[in-house]
Each structure stands twice: as C-alpha cells, then as structure tokens.
Amino acid sequence: MKKILLFSLLMVVTICATAQNAAQARKVLDKTAAIVGRKGGASANFSITSSKLGKTNGSISIKGNKFYARTPQAIVWFDGKTQWSWMKQTNEVNITTPTEAKQAQMNPYKFINIYRSGYNLDLKTEGNNYIVHMVAQNKQRTLQEMYITVSKKSYTPSQVKYRQDKNWTTIAISNFQAKNVSNSTFVFQAKDFPKAEVIDLR
C-alpha cells in the first residue's frame, strides 16, 4: 500500500513539474512572439542548412504571418495566403498556397503562429539562452518537432531547428531588427519581372 501511495505521489509531482515547465516554455515563446511578431514588422538575416535542401543564406522581412525572403537562388513573397516563388535559374514564378511545412522552409519565424496549440512544450536553459522543444501532439502533423533557441536577454531567437519526416533543417538567425514593413513588400509585382514565366500551381 505504501509503495502504491509513494508511486502515486511521484506521478503527481512529475506531472506538476512537467506542467510548470511547459508553462514556462510558453511564457518564453509568448515574449518572443510579441517581439518578432510586432505589428509594424521586422527583418533579419538567416542561414539555412538542410539534409534535403542543402545550404543557403539570405534576408527576410516579416509582418504577422506574411514574409518576404531573398536568397542568391530565389525570392519568395507570402501575403498570408498566397506564395510567389521566383527562381533565378529558370526565371519562373510559381504561385502556390503553401502548407505549414513549406512556409517554415523559408520563414524561420513560422513557429510564432503554431506553438499555441497542438504542441507539447519543454524548456531548458543553456548558457545565455533558453531552448524550447516543441513536439506535435498529432503524429500526422507535417512539422513534428522543433527546437527554438531564444536569448534570455532580448527574447529574440537565434536558431530554429525543425524536423519534417526524418529530415532536419536548421535555420540560424542574425541581425534581427524591429522595423516597419509595407504590406506591398509581401506581394509579387509582375512589372518587376517582365520576362519571367508565371506558373499558377494552386
């Protein structure tokens, strides 16, 4: 009987500690989302390393769920619903309605819109950073797992690492700046690419 009571007590303590840790992780991401997702917008530089996509670097502007990303190989515009991807090599613009995972491939800040529901959160401290671990509750979700490294001082993320199927992608983020960005930045302007072939894949 004593063993059962002791086991039950340990279970309750473990559950409480896990819940408290998850609450702390959410607070960190809440503060990060408030800074990154400021109403006027923000910009940063990034470097992507992926076993599937290789390595590239570029710059990004964001505003809410919208983003504009530029790399040596491509430019991507996303207005919150529609995505336009211009490929330098082929001079083609593909129009799509991207999935959650497709958005994350070019937008390291995608996590600010998805952590609030459908993920179990865990927090640990490493040096001057918080590391938040996100695991999808639904095994069918495209983004199954993420690690977000956040500065304790500024609450800005310096790295986002996510898993899609068995493939890991790491995005290093630098030079984050809060700055106002016009909504037109996130929409493809055909007049700027008069010779590009536009392909609607929606």
Side-chain angles (χ1 to χ4, degrees), residues 104-120:
Q105 284 178 7
M106 289 302 291
N107 182 6
Y109 298 116
K110 177 62 186 170
F111 73 87
I112 70 171
N113 297 303
I114 65 172
Y115 76 89
R116 293 181 176 89
S117 63
Y119 285 90
N120 294 323

Side-chain angles (χ1 to χ4, degrees), residues 22-137:
Q24 290 174 337
R26 185 175 293 275
K27 282 183 181 179
V28 169
L29 290 184
D30 283 344
K31 288 183 179 180
T32 303
I35 292 168
V36 172
R38 65 183 291 274
K39 192 174 180 180
S43 67
N45 296 327
F46 66 87
S47 176
I48 301 177
T49 305
S50 169
S51 56
K52 195 174 181 180
L53 303 172
K55 187 172 183 178
T56 190
N57 53 61
S59 59
I60 188 168
S61 296
I62 60 168
K63 189 176 184 180
N65 197 34
K66 306 177 182 74
F67 71 89
Y68 166 78
R70 190 178 193 114
T71 73
Q73 301 85 14
I75 303 175
V76 180
W77 301 258
F78 181 65
D79 67 357
K81 181 182 178 184
T82 303
Q83 180 171 296
W84 297 264
S85 303
W86 174 74
M87 306 304 294
K88 182 179 181 180
Q89 188 174 7
T90 59
N91 197 23
E92 291 178 351
V93 177
N94 293 322
I95 307 175
T96 58
T97 304
T99 62
E100 189 176 79
K102 289 291 184 183
Q103 291 177 49
Q105 284 178 7
M106 289 302 291
N107 182 6
Y109 298 116
K110 177 62 186 170
F111 73 87
I112 70 171
N113 297 303
I114 65 172
Y115 76 89
R116 293 181 176 89
S117 63
Y119 285 90
N120 294 323
L121 304 179
D122 183 61
L123 179 72
K124 71 175 184 177
T125 299
E126 196 172 279
N128 296 320
N129 297 308
Y130 295 115
I131 298 177
V132 179
H133 185 202
M134 296 170 50
V135 179
Q137 294 166 354

